[in-house]
Amino acid sequence: FNPSLWSSLFLSLDIPDSKLRKPLGWKIYRHLERAGNMPLTIFLQLSSAYNEHISHTVELLRLIHARGATWKPVALYVDAPIISRVALGVDELQSLEEFHVGGTVALAAANSTLSSLKRLELEGLGSSYTMHWLGVAPNLQELSFLNIPPTYVPVLGDRRLPDANCFPLLRTLRIT
């Protein structure tokens, strides 16, 4: 078989079913194994019904997260109670080129950079973790902040945030 045929994983799950938990986990595992070391395109959308099944959801996220070293474009649409339990290490994501996250994901930077990241979409501004992404992505070309509440007031004076001059390649900035 050809590993490139398995290099994309698109999951949109509506209703958690305990009977399907193990078969779904097995299918995801086999899919990722067949992809080998191919760069992965991942789209994961979980309905809010998964908020009540945290252990099942975290198990799915662990399967996908274990392959972080091969992520290319990744989109995670997962509600805050779940995604806030996920922390991504920069060193594990050196192939990541595009990232969209609906929610806030902690980032373990440890003085590293994510030079491969070209496109970043951050949905909502749920916590300070959101802005940490900017400090590790010097080669961003497109940056989007989506669904920002109209009453949002940024925290000023955070010295950990990058200077605007840190993005010499930025050509698109979108705030909606």
Side-chain angles (χ1 to χ4, degrees):
F1 68 93
N2 184 347
S4 65
L5 295 174
W6 300 93
S7 63
S8 296
L9 180 63
F10 293 84
L11 294 171
S12 182
L13 305 171
D14 291 326
I15 301 172
D17 185 341
S18 59
K19 291 181 277 185
L20 297 178
R21 182 178 182 171
K22 285 187 180 184
L24 179 61
W26 172 247
K27 286 181 181 184
I28 293 171
Y29 174 80
R30 283 297 292 152
H31 187 104
L32 295 173
E33 283 296 308
R34 289 178 177 167
N37 290 325
M38 294 296 298
L40 286 173
T41 298
I42 296 175
F43 174 90
L44 176 65
Q45 180 175 9
L46 301 176
S47 73
S48 59
Y50 276 82
N51 292 342
E52 298 170 18
H53 300 271
I54 300 281
S55 63
H56 175 61
T57 306
V58 170
E59 190 177 307
L60 289 176
L61 290 172
R62 278 190 192 132
L63 282 171
I64 294 169
H65 182 248
R67 300 299 301 261
T70 59
W71 287 5
K72 280 283 202 194
V74 173
L76 300 176
Y77 294 90
V78 183
D79 283 351
I82 297 165
I83 203 71
S84 64
R85 297 170 183 258
V86 176
L88 300 176
V90 170
D91 293 336
E92 306 166 342
L93 304 174
Q94 291 304 308
S95 296
L96 185 63
E97 293 179 354
E98 295 180 30
F99 191 66
H100 174 98
V101 61
T104 297
V105 176
L107 186 67
N111 298 322
S112 298
T113 61
L114 210 64
S115 57
S116 61
L117 190 62
K118 307 287 188 271
R119 183 171 182 236
L120 179 61
E121 290 185 348
L122 301 168
E123 193 162 339
L125 294 174
S127 82
S128 61
Y129 292 133
T130 301
M131 300 308 281
H132 292 178
W133 283 90
L134 301 181
V136 298
N139 295 323
L140 275 182
Q141 295 174 12
E142 296 180 37
L143 175 60
S144 300
F145 295 100
L146 308 174
N147 298 326
I148 296 178
T151 58
Y152 175 73
V153 177
V155 177
L156 299 175
D158 187 346
R159 305 241 184 262
R160 297 172 294 171
L161 299 179
D163 185 297
N165 296 326
C166 292
F167 302 108
L169 303 175
L170 190 67
R171 56 175 211 257
T172 303
L173 174 63
R174 185 171 52 148
I175 302 172
T176 61

